[in-house]
Amino acid sequence: MLLYINGNLSFFKHSLLTHSDKMAASTTIAFALIACTLCFMSGTSLARLTPNFYSKTCPQVFEVVGSVVRAAVSRERRMGASLLRLHFHDCFVNGCDASILLDDTPTFRGEKTAAPNNNSVRGFDVIDMIKSNVERVCPGVVSCADILAITALKSVVALGGPTWEVKLGRRDSKTASFSAANGGAIPSPQSSLTNLINTFRAVGLSAHDMVALSGAHTIGQARCTSFRAHVYNDSNIDSLFAILRQSNCPRSPGSGDNNLAPLDISTPTRFDNHYYKNLIMHQGLLHSDQQLLSGGFTGSLVERYSVNPMSFRVDFAAAMVNMGDIRPLTGANGEIRKNCRVVNS
Ligand code: HEM
Ligand SMILES: *[C@@H]1O[C@H](CO)[C@@H](O)[C@H](O)[C@H]1NC(C)=O
Ligand SMILES: *[C@@H]1O[C@H](CO)[C@@H](O)[C@H](O)[C@H]1NC(C)=O
């Protein structure tokens, strides 16, 4: 450190500064270097995520994650949807920090049983497989939070969606928040358009991001309990579509709650723009989905994406990068978990 400062000060020998000016300047530089070194060491630097974070330490991570994701998706196409959703539910609760992956224990309540997650989120065994394969090639290097981000990308690509430059360098939390996961950080399917916009704004995402990210509902399934009220009680729904969805979702709560229906009626295992075409035809499965058509700005985006698949792909990719940037732990904060389900001891 001292050598570095002395080396950097050599140019003063040729300057016309007075001795005291030189002392002042060298003191300033020394303080700046010390401050920067300390902030780097403590992790409070403005560390940014970057696409090449593992280019020296684990360049194979993309291929290792991709091959497990492709195998899982070829066994069951829906798994691609479930894995994408894990990254979303992770990022919206105290940032993209893998908090959603922590298992409950007798002394710790994690996020897995919070209302939006309980009996709904899935894919944890695939994440375990990915983590153990990554640990085999680069032990102790890649965080579970980054694994979720790369897994989301590889899942979308495996189902025919766009690619993007995924940013990395997140670290894993040592805690989780049942109350935040349970208490509105993750939007409910009963949300109004205003609720949706506000929930996304709360994590720094725009209404534009919200409409583009909602296109994730071009893949995957929802349970009767998530769409019952919409198909029985709402009026902004195609009536034949409502009858079709009622047929596998009994009216009374408690019966058939876990019966599944595809979020995209036409191509539920292809990542395309049919989600938006459905909304135009009032065939959105969730109350919240159909809300996007009720606002001028969001409605015009729905129309644009429904006729312009390339515009959707570009905007979805950009919005995924924005979502992946939500409050990451970086530097010396958090840890690199050895097992994504438990904090390191
Ligand atoms: C705009 C607000 C959103 C709301 C209200 C919402 C709500 C829901 C609900 C209720 C389900 C069905 C859960 C169940 O019944 O088990 C679901 C499924 C899903 N969501 Fe969302 N979601 C939203 C945004 C997103 C975003 C931003 C993504 C990803 C970028 C996403 C990805 C998915 C996927 C892929 C599924 C299907 C999962 C599977 O089949 O396992 N959602 N969502
Ligand atoms: C989660 O679902 C299970 C099974 O339906 C239920 O027994 C449990 O009470 C639920 N947990 C919470 C916290 O709601
Ligand atoms: C439909 O609305 C009525 C009146 O508000 C309510 O009593 C009923 O529980 C709702 N049904 C569903 C399936 O949400």
Side-chain angles (χ1 to χ4, degrees), residues 105-121:
T105 73
T107 55
F108 172 79
R109 187 180 214 184
E111 296 167 12
K112 290 184 175 180
T113 61
N117 294 336
N118 202 22
N119 303 311
S120 183
V121 287

